[in-house]
Amino acid sequence: MALIRCDFFSEVLGLSTSMTVILPQATRAQIGMTGAAPAGPPPVLYLLHGLTDDATIWMRRTSIERYVADLGLAVVMPQVDRSFYVDERYGNRYGSFLTEELPELVGHFFRVSSRREDTFVAGLSMGGYGAMRWALTRPTRFAAAASLSGVLDLASQQGEDHRDDLYPRIFGDEPIAGGEFDLLALLHRAGAHDVHLPDLYVCCGTDDALFAGNETFRDEAARAGVPLTYDTGAGAHDWAYWDAKIRDVLAWLPVRAHDVKNQ
């Protein structure tokens, strides 16, 4: 595998930012690990960080590089600060950066597939929200999307999170329920319009403070007629859970097995 820290300028944000990128490499002689790579441009997973983290966190807290080595899968881990991956009401345009500029830059900088069937998104906590919202608002981009311990019932959090007025700064003072930031509303809109959504996967530990919101998301997906793979069990809002569950996500992703070589 090749590990790249990419520092670049974002025209959308008007500032320099970063992403961490893993690129597949076919290897045999590396002691302790072999790697695989497809004959053509590799599939790509956009892997999103949580509220207090950055573009390096998945590399520092999990063995994501080792987990994807045999899949021939590229992984792009962007940095969006504390934005919830949306265009902030009183801040920067992180939603536009993520959904419009970032994929274009990734395609320009790296040789990765741009095909829907080869493109996936996943994230934890705030990043779980970002992954689901990206998939629900740009469904033709992805084959699959996954949330690990995501903030999936955002409206229930409004008014309860007082950290530096985080929610008002990002989402404004209007009610979240039913609006553009409400994943539950987006589920029902997709179901009502028979949108061809990506495959969706949600997991959350039963000891997590966000567990009830994940249960609500599961129930609303069923009511909306949106298929969903839902996985739960013992676990807290921590890296022990996410390091284990990202392996389940990778096993679930419909990564095409053909045309992958180890030499």
Side-chain angles (χ1 to χ4, degrees), residues 37-72:
V44 59
L45 168 65
Y46 290 88
L47 189 56
L48 311 183
H49 68 75
L51 181 69
T52 61
D53 298 319
D54 60 20
T56 70
I57 200 66
W58 280 100
M59 292 297 301
R60 292 162 54 204
R61 299 287 190 265
T62 76
S63 292
I64 185 66
E65 182 179 9
R66 183 164 56 88
Y67 299 155
V68 301
D70 289 333
L71 299 178

Side-chain angles (χ1 to χ4, degrees), residues 105-177:
L105 289 173
V106 168
H108 178 71
F109 293 153
F110 308 109
R111 181 177 172 266
V112 297
S113 177
S114 61
R115 299 193 299 179
R116 184 192 194 216
E117 58 265 36
D118 291 333
T119 308
F120 319 106
V121 61
L124 68 90
S125 196
M126 179 187 80
Y129 171 85
M132 287 293 113
R133 187 170 186 270
W134 196 0
L136 291 171
T137 57
R138 300 288 194 279
T140 60
R141 180 175 294 280
F142 301 105
S147 166
L148 297 81
S149 312
V151 187
L152 303 186
D153 184 9
L154 192 66
S156 69
Q157 303 288 316
Q158 192 173 25
E160 296 183 7
D161 195 322
H162 304 290
R163 288 171 293 185
D164 303 319
D165 295 321
L166 181 69
Y167 278 34
R169 177 182 63 79
I170 297 173
F171 305 110
D173 297 318
E174 297 82 4
I176 289 173

